[in-house]
Every structure is written in structure tokens, then in C-alpha cells.
Amino acid sequence: MNVGFALVLIWSLTITNVLAELPVPQNLTLITLNTEYLLTWDWDRDQMTTGNTVTFTAEYMGKYALKRKKKNWSRVCERTIHTHCNFTGSDLHYLGMYVLRVRASADGLNSDWVLKDFCPDKDAALGPPSRVELAPVGNLLDVTISDPLTSTQGSMKEHILSLSYHILYWSLSDDPRGLKPNLVNSSNNLVTLPELEAWTWYCVRVQSRYDYYNKTSGYTEPQCMQTEGDTQRWQIFLYFLVSLVACFLLVLLAYTFFRFYRVLKHTFYPTIQLPAYIQEYLCDSSLGSEMPILFTPESELCCDNLSVYAEVVLPEIHIPPPFTAPPSGLQHDSSRHSRQGSEGSGDSGVYSTEGGSGQQGSSGRGEPIRRDKEVEKVKLEEMGKEPGDEGVPDECLLHCLYLIM
């Protein structure tokens, strides 16, 4: 009896330990793209004997550190209910080698660890270029390629120095069977496609490559662009004509604006101002002021009419010379005096300013009279008047004439 009881007890303990163990996660898989790493696994919940929730823990460590006695694992996910864990932000170096592990936990029990080796440089997938742009250059096409991006928006060429591209291009045709794609390999980010026809549509797709581990990405979406050709002469003439008209309109607009600005400036801000004394006359509007002011239409009603008369011309006045007594010898010779008088107004010829007869003009007194007239003319010219000017002579002129005569 004792022996049989002991056998039953040992068998029951063995069954209890088997039932208490948790199954391990299955099918560990890494979903990667450039520097983004996501670890996934499978878990069959039907394997659970109880209905309690199962959680998972995921860790990693450098493969070189497995030989150490004290192993320091870095935990990324702890007690998560999901069947995946993101290792992207775990500072895994792209050229390093790591060991990842996962276990399940439920009701205080833990399953065994499941390990998986991981080398990003070898195992991580390579993504396509982040952007592709086309630009026509005559009858050729320039293809600008942007590198694949890391999880921190950096270039993958920081991790893969020998990154290159496959450029697939073809011309569009009405017959799809006539497509003949061409391939160009280059590690440059700017590639010019050769042997293209002018004014033809071409489509381009680009693929990233890492030949050391024979890694390739998918192709980008097709992008199409038409090539150009030599510019026609009529197009050159049209461009020149349009530019000429535009320049003319621009100059005309600038000149019009300049003239309008000058008119406004000279109208409201004149450069030449009226003298201060004239401005005082114009600004003095008091009724008792004797200064001239600008008349308004109402003030013209109070003004008398102005009459204008022609200039009155006064006749010339000849002042006779002072009377002198005749010589004493001539007073008693009355017959001789009367004979001289009968010869024809000798006195008027000698003393007249108009000039007398030829005999009297040739006398000794006629020459001083002509010289006096010339002196008179010079004095009148110095005074600003001509001898024949019309008008009334002033007092000074009369006095001078009197002295001359």
C-alpha cells in the first residue's frame, strides 16, 4: 500500500508541473525598413488552461556580450498584451549584431525565452528613394533622386556608403507592346538619361540597391515627363516681342507716374515762393487797410468804372534869349540899322534856335549855337530822354534849355 501510494503521489506531481508550464511564443519575425524594426510573434490562446490574461516581455543584448558571466539585457517591452514590440527607438547600431528574446507570463508563471539573432545591416530591408523628380534639359531628362530616409529623417547613405540606384525608363507609345525599357545604374543623386528623342514623353521608375548583401528595394511609382527640343525661330521672335512690349509698358508707366508726381509737387509745393511783402499784401484782408488785396466778385460791385484817356502832347516851348543892347556905334546910324533890317529879318536869323539864313549862319555867332545844341542833345541822352520825345519837360529841362539859349 505504501509503495502504491508513493507512485500515485509522484505521478500527480509530474502532471501538475506540466500543466503549470506556459507555452512559448512561436514564429518570431522581424518587420524592418531601413532603420525601423518591429518584432512580432504568434501566440495560441487556446493553449491556456485558465482564462487569465497573458502578457509578454521582450529584451535585446549585443551578441558579443553573451559570453560574459554577467549578462545585461535591455528591456524594450514589459508585460504587454500585444504580440509585437517596436525596437526602432532602442538605439540599435546599423552595423551591430544583436540577440532578441521574448517570453510569455500569466498567473505568476513565465514561459521559456525564445531567442532570435538580428543584424540590421544584413537583415533590415532597404526602402526605395524617398522622392524622384524629373526636369527636361533640351532633348534629355534630368532625374533627381532623394535617398531613402531613416527613422530620424536622415539619409540612409550615412549607414550604407555604397548605396546605388537602378533607373528604369521608357517612352510612351500608343502600342503597349512597343515599350522597350532601358536601365541605368548610378550611385549619384542626379542622373541625366541619355539617347532620348525631342518632344517625347518618357516615364521613369527608380530602385535602391545594396550590392554587398544583394539587397534591393521596390520601384517607385512611375513619373512621366516630356522632353524638349531646339527652340524655333518664331518662338524666339515671339519671346523677344513680348519682352519688348513689356519693357515699353513698364517705361511708359514709370514716366507717367513721374510726370504726375512732378505736377502734384509743383502744384501743392512750388519751389519758387512769393516774397514776404507780397504775401502780406495778399493776406491783409482788413477793411481799413490801404494795402492792395485780391478782389472777390462781390467787391467788384462797389468799385467805380475806370476811364482811360489818350496821352496829351504839349507843344514845345522856345524861350527867347535875353535882350541885349545894341552897340553904341549903331544907335546913331539909323539909316544903316534900317538897311540891315530891310535885308530880311536878321535878328530872327541870328537868335532863333531853328536856325537862320546862310549869311547869318556863317557869322561868328552861328557856330557856338550849333555846338550848344549838340551839348544839349548829350545832356538829354544822359538824362534818359531823346530830343524829340513828346511830353511835358520837367523844370530841370526848362532851366537847362533856358541856360543854353
Side-chain angles (χ1 to χ4, degrees), residues 75-215:
R75 185 163 294 181
V76 180
C77 296
E78 184 177 5
R79 298 184 180 279
T80 177
I81 61 176
H82 303 292
T83 57
H84 59 81
C85 183
N86 193 351
F87 283 77
T88 299
S90 301
D91 197 20
L92 298 179
H93 196 274
Y94 193 79
L95 301 179
M97 299 180 66
Y98 301 93
V99 176
L100 311 181
R101 68 178 186 176
V102 181
R103 75 177 180 183
S105 301
D107 298 331
L109 301 177
N110 298 321
S111 68
D112 293 335
W113 291 99
V114 182
L115 305 179
K116 184 175 180 62
D117 294 339
F118 176 56
C119 178
D121 184 36
K122 179 181 179 181
D123 302 327
L126 182 62
S130 58
R131 187 174 58 183
V132 176
E133 296 179 349
L134 304 179
V137 182
N139 59 344
L140 302 178
L141 281 179
D142 281 348
V143 182
T144 304
I145 305 172
S146 298
D147 298 328
L149 299 179
T150 64
S151 59
T152 58
Q153 302 303 311
S155 173
M156 280 300 296
K157 282 190 174 180
E158 298 175 359
H159 305 292
I160 305 175
L161 300 180
S162 59
L163 184 65
S164 62
Y165 303 101
H166 282 187
I167 304 172
L168 188 67
Y169 66 96
W170 66 93
S171 62
L172 292 180
S173 175
D174 296 335
D175 186 5
R177 295 174 296 179
L179 296 177
K180 296 180 180 180
N182 299 317
L183 185 64
V184 174
N185 296 326
S186 177
S187 60
N188 299 323
N189 293 93
L190 179 61
V191 181
T192 302
L193 301 181
E195 299 179 0
L196 302 182
E197 297 179 359
W199 307 108
T200 305
W201 282 89
Y202 287 90
C203 294
V204 178
R205 300 181 71 181
V206 184
Q207 178 192 56
S208 302
R209 293 185 63 86
Y210 183 25
D211 294 333
Y212 186 82
Y213 287 109
N214 197 21
K215 293 196 300 185

Side-chain angles (χ1 to χ4, degrees), residues 85-391:
C85 183
N86 193 351
F87 283 77
T88 299
S90 301
D91 197 20
L92 298 179
H93 196 274
Y94 193 79
L95 301 179
M97 299 180 66
Y98 301 93
V99 176
L100 311 181
R101 68 178 186 176
V102 181
R103 75 177 180 183
S105 301
D107 298 331
L109 301 177
N110 298 321
S111 68
D112 293 335
W113 291 99
V114 182
L115 305 179
K116 184 175 180 62
D117 294 339
F118 176 56
C119 178
D121 184 36
K122 179 181 179 181
D123 302 327
L126 182 62
S130 58
R131 187 174 58 183
V132 176
E133 296 179 349
L134 304 179
V137 182
N139 59 344
L140 302 178
L141 281 179
D142 281 348
V143 182
T144 304
I145 305 172
S146 298
D147 298 328
L149 299 179
T150 64
S151 59
T152 58
Q153 302 303 311
S155 173
M156 280 300 296
K157 282 190 174 180
E158 298 175 359
H159 305 292
I160 305 175
L161 300 180
S162 59
L163 184 65
S164 62
Y165 303 101
H166 282 187
I167 304 172
L168 188 67
Y169 66 96
W170 66 93
S171 62
L172 292 180
S173 175
D174 296 335
D175 186 5
R177 295 174 296 179
L179 296 177
K180 296 180 180 180
N182 299 317
L183 185 64
V184 174
N185 296 326
S186 177
S187 60
N188 299 323
N189 293 93
L190 179 61
V191 181
T192 302
L193 301 181
E195 299 179 0
L196 302 182
E197 297 179 359
W199 307 108
T200 305
W201 282 89
Y202 287 90
C203 294
V204 178
R205 300 181 71 181
V206 184
Q207 178 192 56
S208 302
R209 293 185 63 86
Y210 183 25
D211 294 333
Y212 186 82
Y213 287 109
N214 197 21
K215 293 196 300 185
T216 58
S217 70
Y219 281 97
T220 59
E221 293 294 328
Q223 297 191 32
C224 301
M225 180 67 68
Q226 185 183 22
T227 59
E228 298 177 352
D230 296 334
T231 306
Q232 301 296 330
R233 293 183 178 179
W234 66 269
Q235 292 180 341
I236 297 176
F237 177 76
L238 181 61
Y239 296 154
F240 174 76
L241 184 61
V242 171
S243 60
L244 186 63
V245 172
C247 293
F248 175 76
L249 293 178
L250 184 62
V251 172
L252 181 62
L253 181 62
Y255 177 76
T256 304
F257 176 77
F258 176 73
R259 295 294 299 177
F260 182 72
Y261 169 76
R262 290 196 62 183
V263 169
L264 291 181
K265 181 180 179 181
H266 289 299
T267 302
F268 295 100
Y269 302 98
T271 56
I272 301 176
Q273 300 290 338
L274 293 175
Y277 59 88
I278 295 180
Q279 293 183 3
E280 293 178 357
Y281 291 163
L282 298 178
C283 296
D284 190 0
S285 59
S286 59
L287 296 178
S289 176
E290 297 181 356
M291 296 181 180
I293 60 174
L294 295 178
F295 292 99
T296 60
E298 292 79 5
S299 60
E300 293 180 358
L301 300 177
C302 302
C303 297
D304 296 334
N305 293 330
L306 178 64
S307 299
V308 180
Y309 298 96
E311 183 180 1
V312 178
V313 180
L314 299 178
E316 294 185 359
I317 300 175
H318 299 278
I319 302 175
F323 178 77
T324 57
S328 58
L330 298 178
Q331 291 179 359
H332 300 283
D333 193 359
S334 60
S335 61
R336 186 177 180 181
H337 176 73
S338 61
R339 185 173 54 248
Q340 290 179 352
S342 63
E343 289 178 356
S345 63
D347 294 337
S348 61
V350 174
Y351 300 102
S352 175
T353 58
E354 297 293 333
S357 64
Q359 294 178 358
Q360 297 295 334
S362 61
S363 63
R365 193 175 178 183
E367 186 66 22
I369 294 175
R370 284 196 298 270
R371 286 198 300 267
D372 293 341
K373 289 185 178 181
E374 292 178 358
V375 174
E376 175 189 356
K377 181 178 180 181
V378 172
K379 290 183 178 182
L380 292 177
E381 289 179 354
E382 291 178 356
M383 296 171 62
K385 295 183 180 181
E386 296 294 335
D389 288 345
E390 297 179 357

